[in-house]
Amino acid sequence: MKVDFTRWLPAIAKDSYRKTALSVAGVAALGGLALAPTAAAAPVTSGPHQGAVAAIDLATGKAATSAQQNDEQPVESGLTTGSATGKPPAGKPSRAQLIPHGIEGAQSRVPLDDAQLANARAIVDAAKKTGVGDRGAVIGVATSLQESKLYNLGHLGAYNDHDSQGLFQQRPSSGWGTPDQITDPEYAATAFFTALKNVGGWQDLPLTAAAQTVQVSAFPYAYAQWEEQAADIVQQLW
């Protein structure tokens, strides 16, 4: 059954960063891409998918080999190093609120540039507006880190996984919206959280189970590796 989110969502104004979705051909196919939302939790059956990370590195020009060849350093951010410890800053959610079920497995981290930070902020803002709170925001940011590394990816040509696009690699053919809509960070995040809210008891699920229920990925456990960085991002942007 296809879901038409346009029935529920208002028209969304796009600012300059929302109008630019990366579109790159000639890269490896992305793994673990979003299908239609579902209300039944899917089982966790496999480990983190490294191919998706490598593909997005190539698609966005962030491959380590390119950086070495150009003698460039990756963009660093306080959101990507270390972990939040001790008492959180005033008005910010605590570690226990952000990661109530603990970390599952080894964690991954990536440096963030301005575009990624802007997209992360759009996800956090949508979490507030849709009422999923800071825990929902962590799930959303971690999901986007896995699916697109927080880049607003356009169609990747012959190497695209079907018609998946945007921060969450949502598919127009599965009812997530038009290509213009799903490459609008605010729309995409709102659609993701609307689907998440339809998952009964999502607040009590581990992050990877909650994300997988919405995304229906071929690599369901991959979301878990981004929980710690997502929590750091949400705590600082909340």
Side-chain angles (χ1 to χ4, degrees):
M1 175 179 172
K2 294 185 178 179
V3 181
D4 183 7
F5 284 100
T6 59
R7 292 180 302 168
W8 307 334
L9 304 175
I12 299 173
K14 298 181 179 180
D15 59 28
S16 58
Y17 82 82
R18 288 176 180 154
K19 291 178 181 176
T20 304
L22 300 177
S23 181
V24 183
V27 298
L30 303 181
L33 306 182
L35 300 175
T38 178
V44 173
T45 58
S46 75
H49 178 52
Q50 298 302 320
V53 175
I56 297 167
D57 274 343
L58 291 172
T60 56
K62 296 291 181 180
T65 53
S66 296
Q68 291 170 357
Q69 290 172 357
N70 297 328
D71 196 27
E72 296 174 354
Q73 296 298 317
V75 178
E76 294 293 345
S77 166
L79 298 177
T80 69
T81 55
S83 302
T85 57
K87 188 175 180 180
K92 303 290 186 178
S94 69
R95 198 71 167 173
Q97 290 174 281
L98 297 168
I99 309 179
H101 308 299
I103 297 296
E104 294 183 280
Q107 296 295 291
S108 298
R109 286 180 178 268
V110 293
L112 304 181
D113 60 24
D114 289 344
Q116 290 166 296
L117 290 173
N119 291 328
R121 188 176 297 279
I123 294 172
V124 171
D125 288 346
K128 293 179 179 179
K129 291 177 182 177
T130 56
V132 297
D134 46 44
R135 176 57 180 171
V138 172
I139 295 171
V141 171
T143 300
S144 184
L145 277 166
Q146 169 60 24
E147 298 289 2
S148 68
K149 276 195 180 171
L150 285 171
Y151 280 110
N152 191 20
L153 296 173
H155 201 285
L156 297 176
Y159 295 89
N160 220 61
D161 185 339
H162 301 284
D163 51 347
S164 303
Q165 297 181 52
L167 294 176
F168 296 90
Q169 289 294 282
Q170 294 157 332
R171 294 180 60 186
S173 63
S174 295
W176 285 103
T178 67
D180 282 346
Q181 287 173 323
I182 62 176
T183 52
D184 179 301
E186 184 177 350
Y187 177 96
T190 301
F192 175 85
F193 291 131
T194 299
L196 180 65
K197 289 168 69 175
N198 286 333
V199 177
W202 66 266
Q203 300 94 330
D204 300 320
L205 293 175
L207 181 146
T208 196
Q212 168 64 3
T213 301
V214 176
Q215 298 295 96
V216 197
S217 168
F219 305 93
Y221 193 72
Y223 303 109
Q225 66 184 308
W226 302 105
E227 186 162 7
E228 191 169 57
Q229 183 174 15
D232 290 348
I233 291 171
V234 172
Q235 186 175 72
Q236 295 188 45
L237 295 181
W238 194 257

